[in-house]
Amino acid sequence: MSRVIHKFTRNVPGWQPRVTPVKLDEATPEQLAALQVTPSNTKVSDYVLTLAHDVESLAVRSPLFNAIMYDPGGMSRAERELGALAASMVNRCIYCAAVHADRHAQLEKDTTVTDELFAKGENADLTARDRAIFDFARKSAEAPPAAGPADMDALRNAGLSDEEILDLILSAALFGWANRLMHVLGDPVRKGNGA
Protein backbone atom coordinates (compact mmCIF):
# COMPACT_ATOMS: atom_id res chain seq x y z
CA MET A 1 0.00 0.00 0.00
CA SER A 2 1.40 3.40 -0.96
CA ARG A 3 1.87 6.18 1.54
CA VAL A 4 0.51 9.69 1.06
CA ILE A 5 2.80 12.29 2.58
CA HIS A 6 1.04 15.16 4.36
CA LYS A 7 3.69 16.87 6.52
CA PHE A 8 6.05 18.04 3.80
CA THR A 9 6.20 21.59 2.49
CA ARG A 10 8.52 23.85 0.52
CA ASN A 11 8.39 26.33 3.42
CA VAL A 12 11.72 25.65 5.10
CA PRO A 13 11.29 25.40 8.88
CA GLY A 14 13.83 26.45 11.44
CA TRP A 15 16.10 23.85 12.99
CA GLN A 16 16.77 23.60 16.71
CA PRO A 17 19.98 21.76 17.60
CA ARG A 18 20.14 19.50 20.65
CA VAL A 19 23.86 20.17 20.98
CA THR A 20 25.02 23.75 21.45
CA PRO A 21 26.56 24.91 18.15
CA VAL A 22 30.11 26.24 18.10
CA LYS A 23 30.13 30.01 18.50
CA LEU A 24 32.13 31.64 15.72
CA ASP A 25 33.80 34.09 18.09
CA GLU A 26 34.96 31.16 20.26
CA ALA A 27 35.90 28.75 17.46
CA THR A 28 39.39 27.26 17.30
CA PRO A 29 41.57 27.95 14.26
CA GLU A 30 40.87 24.37 13.12
CA GLN A 31 37.12 24.86 13.42
CA LEU A 32 37.30 28.14 11.53
CA ALA A 33 39.29 26.46 8.75
CA ALA A 34 36.69 23.67 8.45
CA LEU A 35 33.84 26.20 8.49
CA GLN A 36 35.30 28.10 5.52
CA VAL A 37 34.37 25.25 3.17
CA THR A 38 30.68 25.12 4.09
CA PRO A 39 28.13 25.15 1.24
CA SER A 40 26.25 28.16 2.66
CA ASN A 41 26.98 31.43 0.91
CA THR A 42 24.80 33.57 3.17
CA LYS A 43 25.62 32.48 6.70
CA VAL A 44 26.91 29.50 8.59
CA SER A 45 23.90 27.45 9.71
CA ASP A 46 23.41 26.10 13.21
CA TYR A 47 23.62 22.63 11.67
CA VAL A 48 27.10 23.26 10.27
CA LEU A 49 28.15 25.00 13.50
CA THR A 50 27.00 21.90 15.38
CA LEU A 51 29.02 19.68 13.03
CA ALA A 52 32.06 21.89 13.76
CA HIS A 53 32.47 20.08 17.08
CA ASP A 54 34.04 17.31 14.97
CA VAL A 55 36.49 19.26 12.84
CA GLU A 56 37.90 16.28 10.95
CA SER A 57 34.45 15.10 9.83
CA LEU A 58 33.29 18.59 8.86
CA ALA A 59 36.46 19.22 6.86
CA VAL A 60 35.65 16.12 4.77
CA ARG A 61 31.84 16.47 4.74
CA SER A 62 31.60 19.95 3.26
CA PRO A 63 33.80 19.41 0.18
CA LEU A 64 32.07 16.06 -0.42
CA PHE A 65 28.63 17.70 -0.12
CA ASN A 66 29.66 20.48 -2.53
CA ALA A 67 31.09 18.03 -5.06
CA ILE A 68 28.01 15.80 -5.03
CA MET A 69 25.41 18.55 -5.17
CA TYR A 70 27.11 21.36 -7.12
CA ASP A 71 29.88 20.06 -9.42
CA PRO A 72 29.21 20.82 -13.10
CA GLY A 73 28.49 18.06 -15.56
CA GLY A 74 26.42 14.94 -15.10
CA MET A 75 22.94 15.23 -13.69
CA SER A 76 21.28 18.63 -13.53
CA ARG A 77 21.15 20.48 -10.21
CA ALA A 78 17.35 20.14 -10.15
CA GLU A 79 17.56 16.38 -10.65
CA ARG A 80 20.15 16.04 -7.88
CA GLU A 81 17.71 17.94 -5.66
CA LEU A 82 14.97 15.48 -6.70
CA GLY A 83 17.19 12.56 -5.62
CA ALA A 84 17.92 14.28 -2.29
CA LEU A 85 14.20 15.05 -1.88
CA ALA A 86 13.25 11.39 -2.41
CA ALA A 87 15.72 10.27 0.26
CA SER A 88 14.52 13.00 2.62
CA MET A 89 10.89 11.97 2.14
CA VAL A 90 11.71 8.32 2.88
CA ASN A 91 13.60 9.36 6.01
CA ARG A 92 10.81 11.76 7.02
CA CYS A 93 13.31 14.60 7.32
CA ILE A 94 10.89 17.52 7.15
CA TYR A 95 13.69 20.11 7.17
CA CYS A 96 15.73 18.53 4.35
CA ALA A 97 12.64 17.73 2.28
CA ALA A 98 11.61 21.39 2.47
CA VAL A 99 15.09 22.62 1.51
CA HIS A 100 15.39 20.28 -1.49
CA ALA A 101 11.81 20.78 -2.65
CA ASP A 102 12.29 24.55 -2.49
CA ARG A 103 15.59 24.34 -4.40
CA HIS A 104 14.08 22.02 -7.01
CA ALA A 105 11.15 24.41 -7.53
CA GLN A 106 13.50 27.41 -7.79
CA LEU A 107 15.80 25.68 -10.28
CA GLU A 108 12.89 24.44 -12.39
CA LYS A 109 10.93 27.69 -11.92
CA ASP A 110 7.94 25.39 -11.38
CA THR A 111 6.34 23.74 -8.34
CA THR A 112 4.44 21.02 -10.21
CA VAL A 113 6.78 18.14 -9.32
CA THR A 114 7.05 18.95 -5.63
CA ASP A 115 3.33 19.73 -5.32
CA GLU A 116 2.58 16.34 -6.86
CA LEU A 117 5.07 14.49 -4.65
CA PHE A 118 3.82 16.12 -1.46
CA ALA A 119 0.19 15.45 -2.38
CA LYS A 120 0.53 11.85 -3.62
CA GLY A 121 3.88 10.53 -2.41
CA GLU A 122 5.16 7.65 -4.50
CA ASN A 123 1.90 7.70 -6.52
CA ALA A 124 2.72 11.15 -7.92
CA ASP A 125 2.15 11.72 -11.63
CA LEU A 126 5.67 12.39 -12.92
CA THR A 127 7.42 12.40 -16.29
CA ALA A 128 9.17 9.13 -17.15
CA ARG A 129 12.56 10.65 -16.30
CA ASP A 130 11.44 12.15 -12.98
CA ARG A 131 9.63 8.88 -12.14
CA ALA A 132 12.79 6.83 -12.75
CA ILE A 133 14.90 9.28 -10.69
CA PHE A 134 12.43 9.44 -7.81
CA ASP A 135 11.80 5.68 -7.70
CA PHE A 136 15.50 4.82 -7.74
CA ALA A 137 16.36 7.36 -5.02
CA ARG A 138 13.36 6.27 -2.92
CA LYS A 139 14.24 2.59 -3.16
CA SER A 140 17.91 3.16 -2.45
CA ALA A 141 17.03 5.25 0.62
CA GLU A 142 14.57 2.65 1.92
CA ALA A 143 16.93 -0.30 1.44
CA PRO A 144 19.86 0.01 -1.00
CA PRO A 145 19.59 -3.58 -2.30
CA ALA A 146 15.98 -2.85 -3.35
CA ALA A 147 17.26 -0.61 -6.17
CA GLY A 148 18.41 -3.25 -8.60
CA PRO A 149 19.05 -3.95 -12.29
CA ALA A 150 15.46 -3.19 -13.33
CA ASP A 151 15.78 0.27 -11.77
CA MET A 152 19.08 0.85 -13.58
CA ASP A 153 17.35 -0.14 -16.83
CA ALA A 154 14.50 2.29 -16.05
CA LEU A 155 17.04 5.10 -15.53
CA ARG A 156 18.78 4.32 -18.83
CA ASN A 157 15.44 3.99 -20.65
CA ALA A 158 14.50 7.43 -19.27
CA GLY A 159 17.62 8.84 -20.92
CA LEU A 160 20.09 9.02 -18.02
CA SER A 161 23.76 8.48 -18.82
CA ASP A 162 26.06 6.49 -16.53
CA GLU A 163 27.52 9.79 -15.27
CA GLU A 164 24.03 11.04 -14.39
CA ILE A 165 23.16 7.75 -12.68
CA LEU A 166 26.29 8.02 -10.55
CA ASP A 167 25.30 11.58 -9.56
CA LEU A 168 21.85 10.27 -8.57
CA ILE A 169 23.33 7.45 -6.50
CA LEU A 170 25.62 9.92 -4.74
CA SER A 171 22.90 12.52 -4.01
CA ALA A 172 20.46 9.92 -2.68
CA ALA A 173 23.14 8.20 -0.59
CA LEU A 174 24.43 11.50 0.80
CA PHE A 175 20.98 12.39 2.07
CA GLY A 176 20.28 8.88 3.31
CA TRP A 177 23.13 9.65 5.73
CA ALA A 178 22.62 13.39 6.24
CA ASN A 179 18.91 13.03 7.12
CA ARG A 180 19.71 10.57 9.87
CA LEU A 181 22.43 12.81 11.26
CA MET A 182 20.14 15.85 11.25
CA HIS A 183 17.38 13.88 13.04
CA VAL A 184 19.73 12.94 15.88
CA LEU A 185 21.35 16.37 16.22
CA GLY A 186 18.17 18.47 16.27
CA ASP A 187 14.56 19.04 15.35
CA PRO A 188 12.65 21.09 12.75
CA VAL A 189 10.66 23.92 14.31
CA ARG A 190 8.10 26.24 12.86
CA LYS A 191 9.47 29.70 12.26
CA GLY A 192 8.11 32.09 14.84
CA ASN A 193 8.30 29.44 17.59
CA GLY A 194 11.76 30.31 18.82
CA ALA A 195 13.52 29.32 15.61
Side-chain angles (χ1 to χ4, degrees):
M1 185 166 126
S2 297
R3 296 174 298 273
V4 176
I5 309 303
H6 295 287
K7 295 182 180 179
F8 296 118
T9 175
R10 278 186 306 277
N11 297 323
V12 179
W15 184 76
Q16 181 65 49
R18 296 177 187 157
V19 175
T20 303
V22 168
K23 294 181 178 154
L24 282 175
D25 59 352
E26 297 175 8
T28 67
E30 294 81 10
Q31 288 170 325
L32 290 171
L35 289 164
Q36 289 178 0
V37 292
T38 62
S40 173
N41 60 5
T42 55
K43 69 173 195 137
V44 180
S45 69
D46 281 345
Y47 177 65
V48 173
L49 289 169
T50 301
L51 295 177
H53 286 291
D54 184 346
V55 173
E56 293 82 9
S57 294
L58 180 60
V60 173
R61 175 255 181 216
S62 294
L64 179 64
F65 178 95
N66 289 339
I68 290 171
M69 295 306 290
Y70 303 122
D71 271 0
M75 182 173 266
S76 74
R77 283 277 319 283
E79 289 174 334
R80 292 177 206 208
E81 297 294 346
L82 182 57
L85 173 58
S88 298
M89 289 175 71
V90 165
N91 292 319
R92 304 290 191 261
C93 189
I94 293 167
Y95 181 89
C96 291
V99 167
H100 297 294
D102 184 55
R103 286 185 185 156
H104 181 276
Q106 288 176 12
L107 290 163
E108 291 291 306
K109 297 178 179 45
D110 186 0
T111 64
T112 303
V113 170
T114 54
D115 288 344
E116 188 70 16
L117 285 169
F118 289 166
K120 299 178 184 171
E122 62 193 60
N123 293 322
D125 183 20
L126 303 172
T127 66
R129 186 173 172 102
D130 284 348
R131 167 59 54 205
I133 290 168
F134 182 81
D135 285 350
F136 182 88
R138 178 184 54 79
K139 285 181 181 180
S140 66
E142 287 174 345
D151 299 288
M152 296 296 284
D153 290 342
L155 290 169
R156 288 188 178 100
N157 290 338
L160 276 79
S161 68
D162 285 350
E163 184 181 17
E164 290 172 317
I165 292 170
L166 180 59
D167 285 341
L168 174 59
I169 292 167
L170 292 172
S171 66
L174 176 67
F175 280 91
W177 168 78
N179 298 152
R180 288 168 175 84
L181 184 61
M182 183 163 255
H183 279 308
V184 174
L185 289 175
D187 301 289
V189 292
R190 287 185 192 166
K191 292 185 178 175
N193 291 348

